[in-house]
Amino acid sequence: MPATPQPPGRRERNKQEKLDRITAAATELFAQYGVDDVTTQQIADKADIGTGTLFLYARNKGELLLLVQNAHYAEALERGRADAEAIPDVMGAVMAIVRPIVECNRVQVDNGRVYLREMVFGDPAEPHHGQALSIVARTEEAVAAVLGRHGRIATGDAATTARIISSIMFVTMAASVNASLTAATILQDIEAQVSLLARR
């Protein structure tokens, strides 16, 4: 008979409760003011903890943004993956995966662009950064699975093409020249680039 899992101890419950407060405080402040106009002291005050405690969970503002945004991006990916399963057309299915991620990124454009910068240039040893890279990897796996449907593209080629599509998506979202564009316009640009790639 399998052992019954033990409930988390008081220390673990306290850590999770603090993490939840930090996440909620950072989410609210970043959404209201944007990441550039929020200080770690404001987040600590709102979460009712000291800044020293805050830095045990995230060492800087960029990591706090990763903490907040990772959950939103993971949810967006799962919505896109589910939508893609119902679309037989390969291009339509790829864009179904891309669409909610782009829309998530454009909810607060400055935050979205900082998030992408942190993903690319952040400390890969930091756990929130590792989670962000895991989301990117899962996105590429989902796109590769669509590209490889019915064996039309070899597995290795599908994976490589998925990485190229991922790069197109992230560069298009992060580009300064695109900062004022809507999610719909960004998606049109990505689709045009991916369509050209698909014809080669």
Side-chain angles (χ1 to χ4, degrees), residues 6-22:
Q6 295 296 314
R10 182 186 308 170
R11 184 175 178 199
E12 287 304 310
R13 289 197 309 272
N14 286 342
K15 282 177 67 176
Q16 185 60 51
E17 190 263 339
K18 283 177 185 169
L19 179 60
D20 291 345
R21 289 199 334 249
I22 291 166

Side-chain angles (χ1 to χ4, degrees), residues 51-178:
T51 52
T53 301
L54 177 69
F55 292 138
L56 294 175
Y57 292 85
R59 290 179 293 178
N60 55 49
K61 211 163 43 167
E63 290 175 8
L64 282 165
L65 183 64
L66 288 169
L67 169 67
V68 167
Q69 295 287 75
N70 282 344
H72 299 306
Y73 276 68
E75 289 167 9
L77 171 58
E78 290 314 308
R79 285 198 311 274
R81 192 195 301 262
D83 290 345
E85 288 177 3
I87 299 174
D89 171 65
V90 169
M91 178 59 70
V94 167
M95 291 309 297
I97 294 168
V98 168
R99 183 170 293 105
I101 296 172
V102 171
E103 290 170 348
C104 177
N105 180 264
R106 306 311 275 186
V107 168
Q108 218 285 5
V109 174
D110 290 339
N111 290 353
R113 293 179 69 233
V114 173
Y115 177 75
L116 297 176
R117 185 180 70 215
E118 288 296 325
M119 268 202 306
V120 174
F121 299 111
D123 179 0
E126 195 280 320
H128 306 308
H129 184 269
Q131 289 168 359
L133 294 179
S134 172
I135 295 166
V136 174
R138 295 200 313 269
T139 302
E140 291 173 3
E141 288 166 7
V143 171
V146 168
L147 295 172
R149 283 178 180 175
H150 315 300
R152 292 178 189 161
I153 302 179
T155 302
D157 290 343
T160 300
T161 305
R163 283 197 300 276
I164 295 169
I165 291 170
S166 177
S167 298
I168 289 169
M169 177 175 66
F170 287 114
V171 169
T172 305
M173 289 191 295
S176 298
V177 70
N178 294 341

Side-chain angles (χ1 to χ4, degrees), residues 36-60:
D36 290 335
D37 292 327
V38 175
T39 66
T40 52
Q41 184 64 59
Q42 287 172 305
I43 294 169
D45 290 345
K46 190 160 192 66
D48 195 26
I49 59 170
T51 52
T53 301
L54 177 69
F55 292 138
L56 294 175
Y57 292 85
R59 290 179 293 178
N60 55 49

